[in-house]
Amino acid sequence: MFTKEDLQQIEKHGQTPGAVERQLENFRRGFPFLHVVRAASPGDGVTVADEAEASAAVARYEKEAPGLGIVKFVPASGAATRMFKELFEFVNDDRRGKGIDTLLANIEKFAFWPELKAVLPAGAGDKVVVGAIVGEGLGYGRKPKGLVTFHAYPEGARKAVEEHLVEGAVYAASNGVAKIHFTVSPEHRAGFEALLAEKIPVYEKRFGIRYEISFSVQKPSTDTIAVNPDNTPFRQEDGSLLFRPAGHGALIENLNEIDADLIFIKNIDNVTTDARRGDTIRYKKVLAGMLLDLQDRAFEYLKALEVGGAELEPIAGFIENRLCVKLPADYDSALLRAVLDRPIRVCGMVRNEGEPGGGPFWVANPDGTQSLQIAESSQIAPADLPLMQSATHFNPVDLVCGVRDSKGRKFDLRRYTDPSTGFISSKSSGGRELRAQELPGLWNGAMADWNTVFVDVPVTTFSPVKVVQDLLRPQHQ
């Protein structure tokens, strides 16, 4: 199937013919649906901490943070294309929906208005105004969300990436240093570096800390081959194969290279203003403190199992009640060890208010256990979709991760993915239809074999910006 030139291209991409053949087989076979048992809910997979428990978790994290290596990991490589989709439709195709009316009626309320006003000609019409946002002018249609101005303050507006500097200083600093890692696209890295070089001294002075900022890009070796509608390799005009980025699930490679004891993960667009940040800061610390407690208990039980002679029942009780893994009736010490010896993630979950995206579910596993997973609708069989409608909670991408084992060694996170999960979507290139394949999402299949605990957090901790009009919501004003 592959020519000599194909093999050279595959090798240059950091892949092997066998890996590409497995990708082709995924297209032909499709991905199996998750064996979803039920939606997780309060008291059944979603922990609801009372005030005393939350305060104890905060105290524990604040006490231990100085002795921990902490990193805030922010996926920021996505372009803001979807955020400005309606604006492009108006400028390019004269399609004017209600969103455009809302945008123009409130244009002076956007934090980017002073920047926009400065580039508009006198008497600019509606299409010129909108065109200056996405095209020549602000150029937001070509920029990542991190470089879009989100919030206005008396001392000056802030872009999304700046709000992560502020958050990181408040809850992710250790011994006066806040380490923040951004995954970025190669073409936008210089823009991030230039902005941060200008702004970091301002925030270091404000918070009395030092930042250590690092970047990574999605690896070409994680790209996936594109195919025609008949699942044969898609070839470009020059006859070469087409490889496409495999979605944010590929970032497990980037996360795996972070050397830390504890890693916070949060999307680039989920930020709010200083005045509304209190719950965000508190519950980040709640999640971290709960993780530290779970990790300590898991390590104690692992050591007891290694020594031998430990009573299995208390260990099984901890696994079922605290780590939220339902064991089969015939469990043994080997299974208990296997469950305990995994990375741990504690995930904030907000009450479901109809936002699109994944939610918390109980899933049956091949080893006879049931565990908690974040599942998207595309991973659930059509017959099981009513379970998604019944979900009380929604995944806002609010994770705290423990990535070291009981002996202090880093887990190889690539060993805890589920390669049988993924997504097939219809795309196009050069006007021709193609099928594309995404790897398991970073917080879906790429973390499928982690120990997962869901915790109810206030909806005030969730302030996403999916479309530009979201910046008019109270949490962004």
Side-chain angles (χ1 to χ4, degrees):
M1 176 187 291
F2 297 126
T3 66
K4 179 181 177 182
E5 290 74 21
D6 292 342
L7 295 174
Q8 291 173 345
Q9 184 184 356
I10 290 169
E11 182 180 1
K12 188 175 181 181
H13 225 79
Q15 302 205 24
T16 65
V20 176
E21 180 54 47
R22 286 192 292 275
Q23 294 168 20
L24 292 172
E25 181 60 26
N26 287 337
F27 281 114
R28 293 188 287 264
R29 187 186 63 238
F31 290 102
F33 293 115
L34 283 177
H35 187 178
V36 176
V37 178
R38 62 190 179 280
S41 59
D44 183 30
V46 177
T47 299
V48 181
D50 61 29
E51 185 60 30
E53 290 168 330
S55 295
V58 170
R60 171 155 195 173
Y61 172 66
E62 290 179 342
K63 180 181 178 181
E64 295 192 24
L68 298 171
I70 301 170
V71 172
K72 179 175 164 66
F73 184 91
V74 184
S77 51
T81 310
R82 212 170 27 153
M83 181 177 172
F84 297 103
K85 180 176 181 288
E86 194 173 9
L87 280 65
F88 277 115
E89 290 174 348
F90 176 54
V91 172
N92 297 333
D93 305 321
D94 270 333
R95 291 168 57 187
R96 179 166 182 156
K98 291 183 180 179
I100 295 298
D101 294 338
T102 299
L103 173 86
L104 292 169
N106 296 279
I107 193 68
E108 295 185 15
K109 295 180 182 178
F110 287 93
F112 57 70
W113 168 243
E115 301 166 60
L116 178 62
K117 184 179 179 182
V119 299
L120 289 175
D126 290 352
K127 188 170 282 190
V128 172
V129 172
V130 176
I133 296 173
V134 295
E136 292 302 321
L138 300 185
Y140 283 168
R142 300 185 302 273
K143 291 182 179 179
K145 283 185 182 179
L147 299 182
V148 172
T149 299
F150 269 33
H151 301 144
Y153 294 93
E155 68 273 17
R158 287 184 203 158
K159 300 189 184 299
V161 69
E162 293 177 69
E163 297 291 19
H164 282 280
L165 293 181
V166 175
E167 280 196 15
V170 180
Y171 65 71
S174 175
N175 292 315
V177 178
K179 298 179 180 180
I180 308 179
H181 182 90
F182 297 98
T183 66
V184 297
S185 299
E187 66 271 25
H188 296 307
R189 179 166 178 164
F192 278 99
E193 290 178 334
L195 176 68
L196 292 174
E198 175 190 350
K199 299 295 184 179
I200 280 176
V202 175
Y203 296 111
E204 286 185 333
K205 182 177 180 181
R206 174 178 170 181
F207 294 106
I209 64 161
R210 178 169 58 84
Y211 289 100
E212 288 185 10
I213 306 296
S214 56
F215 299 94
S216 65
V217 299
Q218 197 163 304
K219 297 182 178 182
S221 60
T222 65
D223 291 352
T224 52
I225 193 170
V227 298
N228 297 303
D230 65 357
N231 294 328
T232 57
F234 183 97
R235 295 189 180 275
Q236 303 181 84
E237 288 187 7
D238 62 1
S240 63
L241 301 169
L242 175 63
F243 287 90
R244 305 179 79 261
H248 68 78
L251 297 180
I252 196 68
E253 295 272 357
N254 305 61
L255 186 67
N256 194 49
E257 294 181 353
I258 301 295
D259 186 15
D261 301 312
L262 188 150
I263 303 173
F264 291 95
I265 301 180
K266 190 178 185 186
N267 277 342
I268 187 67
D269 68 332
N270 183 14
V271 286
T272 189
T273 60
D274 287 352
R276 296 172 178 267
R277 210 185 310 275
D279 283 347
T280 294
I281 295 165
R282 175 172 173 76
Y283 277 88
K284 275 288 192 295
K285 294 179 178 181
V286 169
L287 298 181
M290 293 177 77
L291 183 143
L292 292 172
D293 182 60
L294 291 169
Q295 194 169 245
D296 274 2
R297 294 285 299 278
F299 290 171
E300 287 173 10
Y301 285 134
L302 267 173
K303 289 172 183 173
L305 288 170
E306 288 170 3
V307 171
E311 287 187 40
L312 301 189
E313 194 170 319
I315 301 175
F318 167 75
I319 288 173
E320 293 207 327
N321 299 322
R322 299 289 307 284
L323 287 186
C324 300
V325 177
K326 303 301 182 187
L327 298 166
D330 60 348
Y331 70 82
D332 57 16
S333 62
L335 179 59
L336 299 185
R337 278 197 302 272
V339 171
L340 291 170
D341 195 20
R342 296 173 181 170
I344 301 178
R345 58 176 177 164
V346 177
C347 313
M349 290 285 152
V350 297
R351 295 281 172 167
N352 192 348
E353 296 188 346
E355 293 279 356
F361 291 88
W362 285 99
V363 174
N365 303 309
D367 63 1
T369 64
Q370 290 181 13
S371 62
L372 295 174
Q373 297 288 344
I374 297 168
E376 306 281 344
S377 59
S378 59
Q379 296 176 275
I380 299 177
D384 291 333
L385 283 177
L387 290 174
M388 199 148 205
Q389 272 88 58
S390 71
T392 60
H393 283 70
F394 167 82
N395 168 41
V397 187
D398 188 1
L399 286 69
V400 185
C401 305
V403 294
R404 294 197 190 278
D405 66 15
S406 60
K407 295 178 172 58
R409 301 170 300 201
K410 265 184 78 268
F411 284 108
D412 181 352
L413 303 182
R414 296 169 299 184
R415 293 180 50 221
Y416 299 89
T417 66
D418 180 1
S420 71
T421 63
F423 308 88
I424 306 293
S425 56
S426 296
K427 304 287 185 181
S428 65
S429 176
R432 294 161 53 205
E433 287 187 35
L434 61 81
R435 302 183 78 208
Q437 183 177 147
E438 291 193 11
L439 293 174
L442 182 57
W443 34 86
N444 307 112
M447 294 181 171
D449 287 344
W450 292 44
N451 283 323
T452 298
V453 173
F454 295 140
V455 178
D456 176 82
V457 297
V459 72
T460 48
T461 64
F462 184 47
S463 308
V465 178
K466 301 306 179 188
V467 296
V468 65
Q469 293 85 351
D470 286 341
L471 290 172
L472 296 172
R473 292 182 176 185
Q475 55 263 50
H476 297 292
Q477 292 293 307

